[in-house]
């Protein structure tokens, strides 16, 4: 059976404020992170930002599931760090035994910082995860991990579909998403459409886990961590 198309977010979710996610807003994100790159690591450490560590821990849990046939040390395993920033997640993945990691990010300055680590095979800056990724990345990856991307005003849930296109069938996707983002944009509803259409299968979800301390109060913001198995990477949207 041929998987059905997944509706475009602009027509499927009327409650989404698409005007905040247009090209001008995206350029604001790029400029903000370019400016922030030099102090980013120190700043997020002060805020007790835990998403990279938790995404990695969650990914390692997924790789222990019976249906997953590989480990971090599997030869030839290709990994995409989606929204790699300065390389916080990439460094942790190297320490965990992964070796062939590529990274993409909206900010070239952040990618330049990540390049200095010498851990990535390839890096691509000015890569907008709200759009389909370059065709050269399609059907390439065994693992896709993302920390700090699926959060308010950064991307829509449709980014998950674009990541699926870069995956090989059998790929494991592990992402962290702020709980408020999931609620606002009905991420659960979107991934369920992908699942019903035959593209992905939910492996596991950890809900309301730690994310980052709220700089405006003593409150700790929470995140949901999602693990998916890619069954068909030929996602059709529209």
């Amino acid at each position: 059976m041929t998987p059905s198309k997944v509706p475009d977010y602009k027509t499927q979710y009327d409650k989404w404020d698409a005007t905040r996610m247009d090209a001008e807003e995206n350029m604001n994100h790029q400029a903000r992170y370019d400016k922030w790159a030099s102090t980013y690591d120190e700043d997020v450490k002060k805020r007790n930002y835990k998403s990279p560590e938790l995404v990695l821990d969650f990914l390692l849990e997924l790789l222990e599931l019976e249906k997953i046939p590989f480990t971090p040390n599997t030869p030839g395993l290709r990994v995409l760090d989606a929204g790699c920033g300065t390389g916080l997640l990439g460094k942790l993945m190297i320490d965990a035994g992964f070796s062939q990691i590529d990274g993409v990010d909206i900010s070239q300055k952040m990618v330049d910082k990540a390049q200095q680590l010498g851990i990535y095979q390839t890096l691509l800056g000015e890569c907008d995860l709200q759009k389909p990724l370059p065709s050269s990345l399609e059907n390439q990856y065994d693992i896709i991990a993302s920390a700090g991307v699926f959060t308010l005003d950064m991307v829509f849930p449709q980014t998950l579909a674009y990541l699926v296109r870069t995956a090989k069938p059998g790929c494991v996707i592990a992402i962290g998403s702020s709980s408020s983002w999931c609620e606002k944009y009905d991420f659960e509803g979107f991934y369920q459409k992908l699942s019903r259409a035959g593209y992905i299968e939910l492996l596991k979800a950890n809900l309301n886990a730690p994310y980052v301390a709220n700089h405006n109060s003593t409150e700790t913001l929470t995140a949901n961590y999602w693990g998916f198995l890619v069954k068909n990477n030929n996602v059709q949207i529209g």
Side-chain angles (χ1 to χ4, degrees), residues 50-64 89 92 204 206:
K50 295 294 185 182
S51 187
E53 291 92 337
L54 290 169
V55 167
L56 175 61
D57 289 346
F58 183 62
L59 172 60
L60 295 177
E61 289 179 24
L62 296 175
L63 296 186
E64 292 178 356
L89 177 57
L92 296 171
K204 186 175 183 180
N206 286 350

Side-chain angles (χ1 to χ4, degrees), residues 31-102:
R32 177 161 62 94
Y33 279 93
D34 278 347
K35 184 176 180 180
W36 195 7
S38 62
T39 62
Y40 179 83
D41 290 2
E42 294 84 356
D43 292 344
V44 297
K45 183 177 182 179
K46 292 176 183 177
R47 293 189 62 192
N48 199 31
Y49 177 59
K50 295 294 185 182
S51 187
E53 291 92 337
L54 290 169
V55 167
L56 175 61
D57 289 346
F58 183 62
L59 172 60
L60 295 177
E61 289 179 24
L62 296 175
L63 296 186
E64 292 178 356
L65 296 177
E66 184 176 347
K67 65 174 61 179
I68 306 305
F70 42 75
T71 69
N73 297 308
T74 298
L77 195 72
R78 295 196 65 193
V79 179
L80 177 64
D81 183 356
C84 63
T86 58
L88 295 178
L89 177 57
K91 286 190 293 185
L92 296 171
M93 296 187 79
I94 288 291
D95 291 341
F98 298 96
S99 59
Q100 297 187 38
I101 307 176
D102 295 340

Side-chain angles (χ1 to χ4, degrees), residues 67-230:
K67 65 174 61 179
I68 306 305
F70 42 75
T71 69
N73 297 308
T74 298
L77 195 72
R78 295 196 65 193
V79 179
L80 177 64
D81 183 356
C84 63
T86 58
L88 295 178
L89 177 57
K91 286 190 293 185
L92 296 171
M93 296 187 79
I94 288 291
D95 291 341
F98 298 96
S99 59
Q100 297 187 38
I101 307 176
D102 295 340
V104 297
D105 199 88
I106 187 68
S107 166
Q108 184 61 53
K109 295 290 188 182
M110 301 283 269
V111 164
D112 290 343
K113 291 277 288 186
Q115 183 70 54
Q116 296 172 15
L117 299 174
I119 61 174
Y120 290 95
Q121 300 290 305
T122 61
L123 283 163
L124 179 62
E126 299 184 5
C127 182
D128 184 359
L129 293 175
Q130 294 184 77
K131 300 176 181 178
L133 277 69
S135 59
S136 61
L137 300 183
E138 292 181 356
N139 195 36
Q140 294 296 311
Y141 296 103
D142 304 288
I143 290 176
I144 298 171
S146 183
V149 172
F150 290 78
T151 188
L152 289 177
D153 298 329
M154 292 294 292
V155 296
F156 281 124
Q158 193 163 328
T159 292
L160 175 61
Y162 297 145
L163 293 180
V164 169
R165 291 180 179 179
T166 71
K168 300 175 185 176
C171 171
V172 173
I173 298 178
I175 62 175
S177 59
S178 68
S179 300
S180 56
W181 177 88
C182 289
E183 180 178 358
K184 179 176 181 180
Y185 297 129
D186 189 21
F187 179 67
E188 187 170 1
F190 185 80
Y191 89 67
Q192 287 176 350
K193 292 180 186 299
L194 289 178
S195 180
R196 288 195 297 269
Y199 297 116
I200 61 173
E201 172 189 339
L202 178 68
L203 292 172
K204 186 175 183 180
N206 286 350
L207 306 181
N208 298 315
Y211 181 62
V212 64
N214 188 340
H215 66 284
N216 292 322
S217 71
T218 59
E219 175 188 7
T220 297
L221 304 180
T222 61
N224 299 333
Y225 295 86
W226 308 92
F228 302 102
L229 179 69
V230 175

Side-chain angles (χ1 to χ4, degrees), residues 4-9 11 158 165 235-238:
S4 59
K5 288 185 177 182
V6 176
D8 187 281
Y9 67 82
T11 57
Q158 193 163 328
R165 291 180 179 179
V235 180
Q236 303 298 315
I237 300 175

